[in-house]
């Protein structure tokens, strides 16, 4: 952790900030009269549950609020200049140059029609007087610095050709390329595996050390906050409920809310206490639920106008079995083939060689982002009925009864069937995703990063829900996650994937206590712990 920089001058002063939205002439506060300072060269963490106001605070500082949002009170002074009173032209010069911003979801922030090299260059084009060649060279250097490889080819690729982790690194390169005085990072490592997360955190620390860059770091991962931040602010319902040195804050929290956040964080220690990983399986029959033999999975790699598409092998000759009733974890870096493998198992990618044998003919999948996998134009009731309609054999009354039962089962009231997806919180949407996967009574469910985008308290609730449903329905899980603490808590056994291959397969406790492969050792070495 970086040493405290409080002896340095204040870079940013936020005083009595109040932000909200008008709804039928009523002003709903999201940020409620908060005040805090950020010192030159320090890393300030902001933590809290979804809806606590942490992202709204960051967006206000960066002048990125939606048109509907209203700043009703307060000042935000960057080196003495109140950003809230500056004109648009003055703010335009500051954004990107003086203040950099890293968003949580890069796919919604990157232009899908422009190569990523050009998008990173655009920041330099706006704020720097460089030649075309100088801009390109500096862009490629920055892409390499954030951990991307083969930057010559990457420079010409489009966002959809990159993995989620690679896209996030492009966003980080865009934010950092002008060496801003203040870098605001809103959940910048949520989509990244632990090794790349570690690289990004080291890069941010390096900037602080060498460029004296100041960082506001927002995250629901308290282990990351403890690793990188000097101080932290804890927010709840738009208020700052606690603030202090990170070590003192996490070791001796004063407020009950802070204690609840810390208690919700998954960890290896808690996994050992649960002894979940010492249970062989929930089944005494030891039947094979899934048998994968010498499986390779391909994608068509698009060529240019004059070249044919080429097949690219993503998963390379893997073999493994999943026992009925167990929870098998799959870990590995972005691009290693975890999600590609899971899509082949559920039949979303049929360009394969080898064999996939499963007792369950229709395995279901819970995706990382329920907002993209659930139909936003339909109400929850319709979404949950649809799998039953497709399966057949249910009357209309049966379907509606089963939907009501399933909503209660995942911790929601029956009234939620009349809501749209955009009317739900992240945790509620993920509960609907789980309900949709379970409602047809499959025996095998693939969970692809099911809690990575959720704050710690909601994450803990969803993990408990998954455990409860698994025991009640006798389910088998294939659990994909880059969070090795979550894997330890949840899984009986773990597969480690690296560059499309399985490099290690072991019971969870054995793998964590005595890893055999060098790559596994690297993964375990960089787990953030509270």
């Amino acid at each position: 952790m970086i040493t405290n920089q409080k002896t340095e001058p204040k870079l940013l002063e936020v005083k009595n900030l109040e932000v909200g939205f008008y709804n039928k002439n009523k002003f709903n506060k999201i940020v409620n009269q908060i005040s805090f300072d950020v010192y030159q060269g320090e890393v300030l963490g902001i933590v809290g549950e979804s809806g606590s106001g942490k992202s709204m605070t960051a967006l206000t500082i960066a002048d990125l609020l939606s048109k509907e949002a209203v700043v009703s009170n307060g000042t935000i002074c960057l080196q003495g200049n109140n950003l809230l009173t500056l004109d648009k032209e003055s703010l335009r010069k500051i954004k990107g140059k003086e203040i950099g911003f890293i968003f949580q979801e890069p796919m919604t922030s990157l232009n899908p029609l422009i190569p990523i090299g050009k998008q990173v260059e655009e920041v330099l084009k706006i704020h720097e007087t460089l030649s075309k060649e100088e801009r390109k060279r500096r862009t490629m250097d920055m892409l390499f610095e954030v951990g991307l490889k083969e930057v010559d080819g990457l420079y010409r690729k489009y966002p959809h050709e990159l993995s989620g982790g690679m896209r996030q690194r492009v966003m980080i390169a865009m934010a950092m390329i002008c060496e801003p005085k203040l870098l605001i990072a809103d959940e910048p490592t949520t989509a990244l595996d632990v090794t790349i997360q570690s690289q990004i955190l080291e890069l941010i620390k390096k900037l602080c050390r060498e460029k004296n860059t100041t960082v506001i770091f927002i995250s629901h991962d308290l282990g990351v906050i403890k690793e990188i931040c000097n101080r932290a602010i804890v927010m709840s319902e738009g208020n700052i409920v606690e603030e202090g040195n990170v070590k003192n804050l996490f070791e001796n929290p004063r407020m009950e809310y802070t204690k609840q956040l810390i208690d919700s964080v998954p960890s290896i220690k808690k996994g050992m206490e649960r002894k979940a990983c010492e249970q062989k399986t929930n089944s005494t029959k030891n039947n094979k639920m899934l048998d994968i033999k010498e499986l390779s999975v391909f994608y068509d790699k698009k060529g240019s106008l004059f070249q044919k598409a080429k097949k690219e092998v993503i998963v390379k000759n893997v073999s493994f079995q999943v026992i009925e009733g167990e929870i098998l974890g799959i870990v590995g870096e972005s691009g290693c083939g975890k999600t590609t493998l899971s899509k082949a198992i559920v039949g979303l990618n049929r360009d394969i060689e080898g064999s996939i044998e499963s007792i369950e003919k229709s395995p279901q999948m819970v995706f990382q982002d329920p907002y993209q996998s659930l139909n936003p134009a339909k109400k929850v009731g319709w979404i949950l009925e649809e799998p039953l309609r497709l399966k057949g054999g249910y009357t209309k009354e049966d379907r509606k009864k089963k939907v009501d039962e399933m909503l209660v089962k995942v911790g929601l009231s029956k009234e939620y069937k009349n809501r749209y997806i955009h009317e739900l919180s992240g945790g509620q949407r993920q509960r609907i995703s789980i309900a949709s996967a379970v409602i047809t009574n499959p025996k095998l469910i693939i969970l692809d990063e099911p809690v990575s985008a959720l704050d710690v308290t909601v994450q803990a609730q969803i993990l408990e829900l998954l455990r409860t449903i698994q025991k009640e329905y006798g389910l088998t899980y294939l659990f994909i996650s880059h969070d090795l603490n979550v894997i330890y808590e949840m899984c009986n056994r773990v597969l480690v994937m690296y560059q499309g291959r399985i490099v290690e397969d072991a019971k969870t406790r054995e793998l964590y206590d005595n890893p055999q492969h060098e790559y596994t050792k690297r993964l375990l070495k960089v787990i953030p712990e509270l």
Side-chain angles (χ1 to χ4, degrees):
M1 187 181 75
I2 305 166
T3 57
N4 203 313
Q5 301 285 340
K6 270 200 167 185
T7 55
E8 298 290 337
K10 294 175 185 177
L11 178 76
L12 186 75
E13 296 177 81
V14 176
K15 290 185 178 178
N16 301 320
L17 183 64
E18 185 175 275
V19 187
F21 297 89
Y22 279 101
N23 183 17
K24 296 179 180 179
N25 296 322
K26 183 183 178 183
F27 187 66
N28 297 317
K29 294 180 186 177
I30 307 299
V31 177
N32 185 24
Q33 296 281 344
I34 66 169
S35 299
F36 63 92
D37 300 325
V38 188
Y39 294 84
Q40 182 73 47
E42 80 166 337
V43 184
L44 175 72
I46 304 182
V47 300
E49 295 177 282
S50 298
S52 64
K54 56 187 190 297
S55 290
M56 187 67 70
T57 300
L59 291 170
T60 307
I61 294 169
D63 188 42
L64 293 170
L65 287 175
S66 66
K67 292 179 181 179
E68 294 78 18
V70 176
V71 180
S72 54
N73 192 51
T75 59
I76 300 172
C77 293
L78 181 68
Q79 291 186 316
N81 293 319
N82 185 1
L83 302 180
L84 297 178
T85 61
L86 296 179
D87 57 55
K88 288 185 179 180
E89 181 59 26
S90 299
L91 283 170
R92 190 188 70 83
K93 291 177 181 178
I94 289 174
K95 288 193 292 185
K97 176 66 176 173
E98 304 292 331
I99 301 176
F101 200 101
I102 305 169
F103 294 92
Q104 178 178 351
E105 181 42 65
M107 202 58 185
T108 59
S109 307
L110 295 171
N111 190 323
L113 304 178
I114 300 176
I116 62 108
K118 295 293 182 184
Q119 296 193 55
V120 178
E121 264 189 46
E122 187 65 21
V123 184
L124 292 174
K125 206 171 182 180
I126 294 170
H127 296 290
E128 304 283 356
T129 53
L130 300 171
S131 68
K132 186 177 179 180
E133 291 74 21
E134 287 173 327
R135 287 199 305 268
K136 184 173 181 179
R137 183 169 62 252
R138 192 157 153 187
T139 295
M140 293 175 72
D141 287 345
M142 193 70 233
L143 291 172
F144 181 77
E145 196 173 351
V146 296
L148 292 164
K149 300 173 183 177
E150 299 177 358
V151 293
D152 284 340
L154 198 67
Y155 180 90
R156 295 184 292 274
K157 287 190 174 183
Y158 291 87
H160 72 271
E161 297 179 281
L162 278 59
S163 69
M166 292 168 74
R167 287 194 293 263
Q168 188 61 289
R169 280 171 268 170
V170 171
M171 279 297 304
I172 292 168
M174 289 175 69
M176 292 179 173
I177 198 161
C178 284
E179 298 179 359
K181 293 175 182 175
L182 176 63
L183 179 66
I184 301 174
D186 189 2
E187 301 279 8
T189 59
T190 295
L192 305 180
D193 56 76
V194 287
T195 51
I196 302 303
Q197 174 178 270
S198 178
Q199 292 173 22
I200 296 303
L201 295 179
E202 283 301 319
L203 179 60
I204 292 173
K205 287 191 276 189
K206 179 184 173 186
L207 272 173
C208 287
R209 186 171 60 250
E210 296 179 358
K211 309 292 184 184
N212 208 28
T213 303
T214 304
V215 181
I216 296 177
F217 197 101
I218 299 168
S219 180
H220 64 254
D221 190 328
L222 300 187
V224 169
I225 290 289
K226 186 178 180 182
E227 182 175 333
I228 193 172
C229 297
N230 316 110
R231 291 186 299 129
I233 288 170
V234 182
M235 291 190 69
S236 175
E237 298 180 344
N239 299 294
I240 294 176
V241 296
E242 193 161 358
E243 177 182 356
N245 174 279
V246 164
K247 188 174 188 297
N248 293 336
L249 194 68
F250 289 159
E251 291 181 2
N252 301 294
R254 292 181 292 105
M255 305 302 291
E256 193 60 35
Y257 178 74
T258 310
K259 294 175 184 177
Q260 288 173 8
L261 283 181
I262 294 169
D263 288 343
S264 299
V265 177
S267 69
I268 291 175
K269 186 186 293 184
K270 290 175 186 174
M272 292 175 69
E273 290 170 359
R274 286 181 182 276
K275 301 183 181 299
C277 300
E278 295 176 357
Q279 299 170 8
K280 292 182 179 179
T281 69
N282 291 332
S283 171
T284 57
K285 295 181 180 179
N286 213 34
N287 296 327
K288 293 178 190 174
M289 171 59 69
L290 183 68
D291 194 1
I292 305 290
K293 293 180 180 176
E294 298 178 351
L295 179 69
S296 294
V297 188
F298 304 86
Y299 275 130
D300 283 338
K301 190 176 182 181
K302 293 180 180 179
S304 68
L305 185 64
F306 304 104
Q307 292 178 321
K308 291 182 177 180
K310 295 180 180 179
K311 278 191 177 182
E312 183 175 8
V313 59
I314 307 298
V315 176
K316 304 169 185 177
N317 197 37
V318 304
S319 298
F320 65 93
Q321 297 172 350
V322 184
I323 304 303
E324 188 176 355
E326 80 170 332
I327 304 177
L328 175 64
I330 303 182
V331 300
E333 294 178 355
S334 298
C336 72
K338 308 185 299 290
T339 299
T340 300
L341 172 62
S342 66
K343 287 181 177 179
I345 293 170
V346 298
L348 294 176
N349 186 342
R350 299 184 184 279
D351 193 358
I352 66 172
E353 291 178 358
S355 67
I356 303 172
E357 295 180 7
S358 176
I359 294 175
E360 176 56 63
K361 299 303 179 186
S362 300
Q364 297 299 305
M365 194 163 178
V366 175
F367 294 91
Q368 177 179 354
D369 185 357
Y371 200 77
Q372 291 188 1
S373 58
L374 299 174
N375 191 334
K378 299 293 185 181
K379 291 183 178 179
V380 166
W382 187 95
I383 290 170
L384 294 182
E385 270 195 64
E386 184 65 3
L388 299 173
R389 277 190 290 266
L390 292 172
K391 185 176 182 180
Y394 296 91
T395 66
K396 187 176 181 179
E397 290 71 26
D398 289 340
R399 293 197 303 268
K400 291 190 179 301
K401 183 180 178 183
K402 200 161 179 62
V403 167
D404 288 347
E405 291 173 351
M406 189 51 65
L407 282 170
V408 173
K409 196 70 74 177
V410 297
L412 299 172
S413 67
K414 298 174 185 178
E415 286 70 30
Y416 276 85
K417 65 185 175 184
N418 297 315
R419 297 193 188 185
Y420 290 95
I421 295 303
H422 71 269
E423 297 177 299
L424 308 180
S425 69
Q428 289 168 345
R429 287 197 288 263
Q430 199 59 289
R431 287 174 187 271
I432 297 300
S433 279
I434 294 167
S436 179
V438 174
I439 200 165
T440 55
N441 300 316
K443 290 301 177 185
L444 174 63
I445 294 180
I446 298 173
L447 302 151
D448 189 5
E449 300 280 8
V451 296
S452 65
L454 304 176
D455 59 68
V456 287
T457 50
V458 178
Q459 183 182 87
Q461 293 166 13
I462 296 299
L463 292 177
E464 187 58 39
L465 172 64
L466 289 170
R467 281 190 287 262
T468 301
I469 287 178
Q470 193 245 359
K471 290 174 183 175
E472 185 172 341
Y473 288 89
L475 300 176
T476 304
Y477 288 158
L478 204 56
F479 196 105
I480 298 169
S481 179
H482 65 259
D483 190 327
L484 298 177
N485 289 312
V486 169
I487 287 288
Y488 196 97
E489 272 205 33
M490 288 293 294
C491 300
N492 312 113
R493 188 162 58 95
V494 183
L495 302 180
V496 181
M497 290 192 71
Y498 180 62
Q499 296 184 347
R501 302 183 186 278
I502 294 172
V503 297
E504 194 153 359
D505 178 354
K507 291 179 181 177
T508 306
R509 184 73 179 268
E510 293 173 7
L511 185 98
Y512 282 61
D513 288 349
N514 188 28
Q516 299 299 304
H517 197 275
E518 282 303 314
Y519 175 69
T520 310
K521 293 175 184 177
R522 290 208 308 271
L523 281 180
L524 296 174
K525 190 177 180 181
V526 293
I527 299 175
E529 282 272 9
L530 274 182

